[in-house]
Amino acid sequence: MNTQTNTQTTPGNASKKPKILVARAIFPEALAKLEESYEVRSNQEDRIFTPEELQKELSSIVGALVAGSERIDASALANAKDLKIVANISVGYNNFDVPAISAAGVMATNTPDVLTDTTADFGFALLMGTARRITESEHWIRAGHWDKWSIVNNPLGMDLHHSTVGIIGMGRIGQGIAKRALGFGMNVIYHNRSRLSEADEKACSARYVSKEELLRTADHVVLVLPYSAESHHTIGAKEIALMKPTATLINIARGGIVDDLALAQALKEKKIFAAGLDVFEGEPKVNPELLKLSNVVLAPHIASATEKTRRAMVDLAIDNLRAALDGKRPPSLINAEVFKG
Ligand code: DGY
């Protein structure tokens, strides 16, 4: 399929309006609102652009709403002479080459805060589902294996209450998970690039430890750190070897932070108890070795996926775009040096 046939442009006297691109499908009401002010090239079919198509789409517009599927780098921006803003509908922005975007004089924005609680809720749900083997149990029932209640021969899980959770990446979402863990009487330890203030540590009752101590002592390890070249394979075979054989590993951060093949091998050999994964290396492809295992809970990158929160993310991205095109500072500007207010 090609973009020309599937990307819709607002009809009518749109030519007087500034041209923008909506690179992924969004809520129809939000699109209709945008069409009141802009000539919109929209991709409601939700097809992922090839790099060549993206470069072409960006060449004729002043603003773009994009998501993690759109890699915005020097090549994507090569012909984007009129572009003023790329507004990510996502808090993570590892799809942005920020220095290249700034060098092109383009503002870059993301959607922080509006998804913090929803994502922390999901991280906790994935932790519970993994430790207590909920999806595995459901598959077991559906396969007709449940013939009696049993003290020892039903899926036995790991406790959350009064266990130790180790959070790697203690930003807003990590702190949200820590606060939820307190309600379960859990002991919270964390590791982060920089230590939290005393007040923030107190609010989460969290203790700062080295990555090694965290891996050795946590009963549940939760990953919430941003992806970068530095955080690539934060968890690989060497790190898993430090973990308790009874531990769980939860990744709601980004694919690439965990070496998925090493994890699959460790789960197969029962080096750790189980894993819960919302994000994958090379997603939407999932390493086939993970698909063979019952001690892993898989989710399709849905940590922020409630209707309310996805609407709030789209709305914030639109606020960012509108502000930039109106000459105002976007509320969640990443590269402040580009803003000429
Ligand atoms: C985010 O906002 O970063 C979510 O992971 C969706 O990409």
Side-chain angles (χ1 to χ4, degrees):
M1 283 190 288
N2 88 44
T3 328
Q4 297 313 306
T5 52
N6 295 303
T7 307
Q8 305 294 319
T9 301
T10 318
N13 66 346
S15 57
K16 293 199 184 76
K17 299 175 183 171
K19 288 187 193 165
I20 65 163
L21 170 71
V22 178
R24 298 297 306 274
I26 61 170
F27 299 99
E29 311 78 39
L31 187 62
K33 202 99 189 75
L34 280 170
E35 285 171 347
E36 289 171 13
S37 323
Y38 305 107
E39 180 180 333
V40 182
R41 284 192 53 82
S42 74
N43 175 22
Q44 286 299 90
E45 192 179 311
D46 217 16
R47 191 177 59 85
I48 309 290
F49 293 134
T50 65
E52 295 73 31
E53 288 169 342
L54 182 61
Q55 189 192 69
K56 186 153 187 260
E57 290 289 344
L58 295 176
S59 68
S60 57
I61 51 149
V62 292
L65 291 188
V66 299
S69 42
E70 284 69 56
R71 171 90 190 137
I72 308 293
D73 55 13
S75 160
L77 297 173
N79 302 319
K81 48 194 181 320
D82 299 323
L83 191 64
K84 293 191 169 51
I85 175 162
V86 278
N88 223 20
I89 309 173
S90 167
V91 65
Y93 53 87
N94 52 299
N95 57 315
F96 282 1
D97 178 340
V98 177
I101 297 174
S102 298
V106 174
M107 285 178 258
T109 61
N110 66 339
T111 58
D113 302 319
V114 293
L115 47 59
T116 301
D117 282 321
T118 297
T119 305
D121 281 354
F122 184 84
F124 216 82
L126 191 56
L127 170 56
M128 293 194 78
T130 303
R132 297 301 302 271
R133 302 173 66 178
I134 293 176
T135 53
E136 186 187 348
S137 295
E138 185 184 344
H139 293 153
W140 190 71
I141 291 178
R142 288 183 193 272
H145 296 312
W146 192 26
D147 57 355
K148 56 184 173 300
W149 185 88
S150 167
I151 292 168
V152 290
N153 292 319
N154 285 162
L156 302 182
M158 293 295 161
D159 278 324
L160 265 72
H161 70 86
H162 303 101
S163 67
T164 294
V165 63
I167 301 171
I168 303 186
M170 200 61 156
R172 290 165 283 228
I173 299 168
Q175 291 176 48
I177 291 171
K179 286 173 186 159
R180 283 156 179 77
L182 294 181
F184 279 70
M186 294 169 88
N187 171 39
V188 180
I189 55 177
Y190 78 98
H191 184 73
N192 199 42
R193 267 177 311 188
S194 49
R195 200 172 159 169
L196 297 185
S197 68
E198 218 176 291
D200 286 341
E201 280 189 354
K202 208 166 160 207
C204 301
S205 291
R207 187 167 64 85
Y208 180 82
V209 294
S210 68
K211 181 176 155 192
E212 183 172 333
E213 182 180 343
L214 184 145
L215 292 169
R216 284 189 193 284
T217 58
D219 297 302
H220 307 286
V221 174
V222 182
L223 305 172
V224 209
L225 64 165
Y227 181 76
S228 64
E230 202 185 34
S231 65
H232 182 72
H233 286 187
T234 292
I235 303 292
K238 188 162 69 75
E239 289 75 21
I240 295 171
L242 298 175
M243 293 172 65
K244 297 179 180 181
T246 50
T248 67
L249 176 70
I250 308 300
N251 186 8
I252 58 163
R254 276 290 182 272
I257 285 182
V258 174
D259 176 344
D260 284 351
L261 186 59
L263 174 63
Q265 191 62 30
L267 288 167
K268 195 167 149 196
E269 292 167 8
K270 305 257 179 340
K271 290 201 169 133
I272 59 171
F273 181 68
L277 306 175
D278 185 44
V279 287
F280 303 86
E281 284 192 289
E283 66 184 52
K285 291 202 181 94
V286 175
N287 190 303
E289 294 305 310
L290 287 170
L291 295 175
K292 294 179 193 162
L293 301 167
S294 58
N295 55 347
V296 57
V297 178
L298 308 171
H301 200 150
I302 53 168
S304 65
T306 64
E307 172 144 356
K308 191 172 168 201
T309 290
R310 285 286 163 88
R311 283 186 187 276
M313 290 165 69
V314 169
D315 288 349
L316 177 52
I318 291 175
D319 288 349
N320 281 319
L321 178 126
R322 278 192 195 282
L325 298 184
D326 290 350
K328 298 182 188 136
R329 187 189 169 102
S332 33
L333 183 60
I334 296 164
N335 52 352
E337 68 277 12
V338 174
F339 178 64
K340 295 182 185 67

